[in-house]
Amino acid sequence: MRKALHYQLELFWLALGFFSRLPIPSRTPYSEERMNQAGRYFGLVGVVLGLICAALFYVFNAIFPDSVAVILTMGFSLMLTGAFHEDGLTDMADGIGGGMTLERRLTIMKDSRIGTYGAATLIMALLSKYVLLTELTSLTSMLPVFVVAYTLSRAVAASLIYDMPYVSDPDSSKSKPLANQQSQVDLAVLIATGVCVSLILPLGLAAILLGSAWLFRVLFKAWLIKRIGGFTGDCLGAAQQLFELTSYLIILAWMMHSL
């Protein structure tokens, strides 16, 4: 039992090290099989990052106005993840927006340069995040907002691996360790993490968020299948960013109409 728990802890360290810039124990064992299994803790990584960002927000908010505290927290969030997911959103927007064929879309996604579609999408995403978070600061506690949005968006993104084909070249992809299909256990852990964390919100709001997460996954999956025939690592990053924004929108609407 102890050995099994230790193994799961090592998987969590791998997930934390892959999806963030936070330090992990240097002796954490690595293999592609372990890294693939570590994807089950993508949602739990969101819990950690959400707690850190919420704590930073309250520290900043004790010194600066709400809007300044939000922009500083956003900056630190980008540093915590190395803008990993924002990069995926940008690359996906460039590839799918600028490519007319499947091959061209995948080629553009691999290009490190940013194009018009990617730049416009990134600007709108960051601006939307700033506006939504600033509005939320006057309506509710930001601790559950950050924790739930960070966790649920990552759980939704990682769950796409379960039943979608990987369409990029795994030998040249930064997401190569995650390219294999997930097990039912991996998916169950992601779902359980997302559901449990969502329950820190009012029950009605949690139910709406979870239903929206399911609907977003269905629609985003169908859209990706139509556009590129599956997913790439960039698509997972895009899914995380898009549902994080969706979470803020839903929470904001709930708070405004529950006053």
Side-chain angles (χ1 to χ4, degrees), residues 22 35 39 56 65 70 83 99 107 144 167 173 210 218 230 238:
L22 294 172
M35 191 65 246
L56 288 170
V70 166
T107 298
V167 295
S173 172
L210 291 170
V218 169

Side-chain angles (χ1 to χ4, degrees), residues 89 92 121 125 153 216 220 223 237-247:
L89 175 66
M92 190 195 77
T121 301
S153 62
F216 173 87
F220 192 67
W223 183 72
Q240 186 280 317
Q241 286 291 290
L242 292 173
F243 194 74
E244 182 183 336
L245 287 170
T246 301
S247 298

Side-chain angles (χ1 to χ4, degrees), residues 15-23 45-57 60 72-86 146 150 154:
L16 188 67
F18 187 82
F19 292 115
S20 79
R21 295 296 177 88
L22 294 172
V45 170
V47 175
V48 174
L49 297 177
L51 287 171
I52 292 173
C53 287
L56 288 170
F57 171 79
F60 294 139
L72 289 174
T73 304
M74 286 177 59
F76 271 85
S77 180
L78 289 169
M79 288 190 288
L80 282 172
T81 63
F84 191 53
H85 312 303
E86 289 80 3
F146 278 114
Y150 274 46
R154 284 164 171 78

Side-chain angles (χ1 to χ4, degrees), residues 8-253:
Q8 294 304 313
L9 179 61
E10 290 175 341
L11 294 183
F12 170 72
W13 290 135
L14 285 177
L16 188 67
F18 187 82
F19 292 115
S20 79
R21 295 296 177 88
L22 294 172
I24 64 172
S26 59
R27 294 184 178 180
T28 302
Y30 174 87
S31 69
E32 289 194 8
E33 180 183 1
R34 282 175 173 250
M35 191 65 246
N36 181 250
Q37 293 177 336
R40 68 180 62 172
Y41 293 121
F42 192 13
L44 194 56
V45 170
V47 175
V48 174
L49 297 177
L51 287 171
I52 292 173
C53 287
L56 288 170
F57 171 79
Y58 286 120
V59 170
F60 294 139
N61 204 211
I63 306 170
F64 303 109
D66 292 347
S67 58
V68 177
V70 166
I71 198 68
L72 289 174
T73 304
M74 286 177 59
F76 271 85
S77 180
L78 289 169
M79 288 190 288
L80 282 172
T81 63
F84 191 53
H85 312 303
E86 289 80 3
D87 177 64
L89 175 66
T90 303
D91 287 343
M92 190 195 77
D94 271 334
I96 294 183
M100 300 304 293
T101 65
L102 171 59
E103 293 73 18
R104 183 59 181 157
R105 287 168 188 156
L106 295 177
T107 298
I108 293 173
M109 282 189 201
K110 295 176 184 177
D111 193 332
S112 60
R113 295 170 295 181
I114 184 171
T116 302
Y117 291 102
T121 301
L122 180 61
I123 290 169
M124 288 301 297
L126 292 175
L127 181 60
S128 298
K129 194 176 296 186
Y130 169 76
V131 171
L132 292 169
L133 288 172
T134 301
E135 291 292 330
L136 282 165
T137 56
S138 62
L139 297 174
T140 186
S141 167
M142 294 305 289
L143 175 60
V145 171
F146 278 114
V147 173
V148 172
Y150 274 46
T151 302
L152 195 53
S153 62
R154 284 164 171 78
V156 169
S159 75
L160 291 168
I161 302 172
Y162 177 71
D163 55 359
M164 290 185 70
Y166 189 75
V167 295
S168 188
D169 178 8
D171 292 328
S172 62
S173 172
K174 60 189 175 185
S175 299
K176 176 183 177 181
L178 300 175
N180 297 320
Q181 192 175 43
Q182 286 176 333
S183 69
Q184 291 183 344
V185 173
D186 298 331
L187 181 63
V189 171
L190 287 168
I191 293 173
T193 303
V195 170
C196 291
V197 171
S198 296
L199 293 177
I200 67 175
L201 294 171
L203 187 58
L205 176 54
I208 292 172
L209 276 171
L210 291 170
S212 299
W214 172 81
L215 181 60
F216 173 87
R217 187 187 186 280
V218 169
L219 295 176
F220 192 67
K221 174 186 171 183
W223 183 72
L224 287 178
I225 292 293
K226 182 178 180 180
R227 302 300 293 178
I228 60 174
F231 79 94
T232 69
D234 290 326
C235 296
L236 301 184
Q240 186 280 317
Q241 286 291 290
L242 292 173
F243 194 74
E244 182 183 336
L245 287 170
T246 301
S247 298
Y248 297 145
L249 274 171
I250 292 171
I251 296 172
L252 179 60

